[in-house]
Amino acid sequence: MTVLILVPAGCLFAWVWNDNQDRRDNTQRERQGVEYLTALAPLISGLAEAQSSALQGVAAPPASLTTAVTNVSAVDARLGAELGTRERWTNLRDKIGKFKTLKGDAEAVFQAHVEVADLALALYASVQSGTGLLRDPDNDVSHLQQVIAVDLPTTVTQVSRMGDLAMLVSAATPARKAVLAPQFGASVEFVNASVDNLTNNLQAAAENTTSTTLSGNLVSTLDQFRRGVEALTRGANPGGTPNPATMATAQAQLQTSLSALSGVVSRETTTLLDDRLDSLDLRHAGILTAGVAVLALTLVAGALHLVGRRRASSARPGPAPAGPDAARGMGRPGDGYGHLNQAPTYGDAPTQRERSGVLR
């Protein structure tokens, strides 16, 4: 009976335990992914600043990019081997290191920066896919991770390209304008689509979330970010001559709003994942407690059953004990051998006495 209970109970316990452990491991991996993506956000901003600086003739990378590279290297040193990002990051870092040696005209320099930025976006996608963030089951985390891993970096990259392409188009010859103008127009469309996707994902996350702070924190930062993008688009002046002063002011505003928005989204996502880990840890403890309780109760029930069987066996009546006559090999009265138990007589007691008298 004990085995019949323990086997299915043990199978159920193992299934629930392994399922909970898998969910915990997946959440922990997603948590690492958010940490890596958070470190990449300043890198995207630094690359955008380096691109604009290079087009203005400044060969040395900005301090923001140097700091971002150092920070990402530190995160990759801890998580890169586990997340599978080591090779991608090493390649990207080497290409960033070659910025100061770039040669060629403005378009060649611009194209070199575009290629590096695309590698950075590919690293984002690798982290998003490799850590399971892309498949997160919760609505709020799913939309927030899409903002961190896709919408924000893509928007920043495309806004930067839009602004720099506007300057290249304005300074290009008619022949080159024919080539660069379509790229500029596509960049403007891409920016508008990226901002719309970002806004939709943030709204979807805020509509169905367990966080009590997400909606309030996003309102001001999202509005500020959108205003920065709109200001930069006005400065780029699609179809006309760009206004460098307006674009410079808009870029500064955009960097500030980007930092704030990225920080809010990263913190909220991290908090949601931490809350999930706490819940899974609590469930883990509950599963273990329930398993131990089932095992203990089953063993106690088995022990009680065994004791009951032993008591029942000891209380069962055995064969009747033999009497003293049986010990002497004599029969019992009524068994057909009663005469064997009687002493031989020679008449009644009075006759015996008479015979005694004659003898006297």
Side-chain angles (χ1 to χ4, degrees), residues 98-330:
K98 297 177 181 178
F99 276 167
K100 55 188 176 185
T101 62
L102 288 176
K103 304 294 184 182
D105 58 13
E107 289 185 39
V109 171
F110 173 77
Q111 188 59 39
H113 280 267
V114 167
E115 292 174 0
V116 173
D118 286 343
L119 289 176
L121 293 178
L123 180 56
Y124 267 92
S126 177
V127 174
Q128 181 193 32
S129 176
T131 59
L133 282 167
L134 189 61
R135 301 176 297 277
D136 191 274
D138 292 342
N139 179 77
D140 47 5
V141 175
S142 178
H143 287 288
L144 289 176
Q145 67 82 26
Q146 185 72 9
V147 170
I148 299 173
V150 179
D151 297 336
L152 272 175
T154 300
T155 301
V156 172
T157 300
Q158 292 300 328
V159 165
S160 174
R161 291 179 186 177
M162 179 187 70
D164 292 334
L165 278 169
M167 301 303 297
L168 290 174
V169 169
S170 65
T173 62
R176 295 307 303 166
K177 281 185 180 180
V179 176
L180 294 174
Q183 296 182 34
F184 173 65
S187 182
V188 173
E189 293 297 327
F190 212 146
V191 166
N192 292 331
S194 296
V195 172
D196 288 342
N197 289 336
L198 184 149
T199 302
N200 291 337
N201 278 316
L202 288 178
Q203 289 178 343
E207 287 172 359
N208 186 15
T209 182
T210 57
S211 172
T212 59
T213 58
L214 178 60
S215 298
N217 289 337
L218 286 179
V219 171
S220 59
T221 52
L222 178 58
D223 287 344
Q224 188 180 15
F225 180 78
R226 289 180 64 94
R227 286 196 298 269
V229 174
E230 292 169 358
L232 188 60
T233 304
R234 286 195 302 271
N237 192 18
T241 303
N243 186 328
T246 301
M247 291 178 62
T249 302
Q251 282 182 328
Q253 177 184 353
L254 186 60
Q255 290 298 326
T256 301
S257 61
L258 169 66
S259 178
L261 181 59
S262 178
V264 167
V265 176
S266 296
R267 285 193 301 272
E268 289 289 345
T269 308
T270 299
T271 299
L272 289 170
L273 291 176
D274 286 344
D275 289 345
R276 185 193 298 171
L277 280 174
D278 291 341
S279 177
L280 291 172
D281 285 342
L282 185 62
R283 187 172 180 233
H284 224 51
I287 294 171
L288 181 60
T289 302
V292 172
V294 169
L295 177 62
L297 290 175
T298 304
L299 293 177
V300 169
L304 292 177
H305 179 69
L306 182 60
V307 170
R309 290 185 59 183
R310 289 180 176 176
R311 288 179 176 176
S313 177
S314 62
R316 187 178 301 129
D325 291 338
R328 293 192 299 267
M330 301 298 182

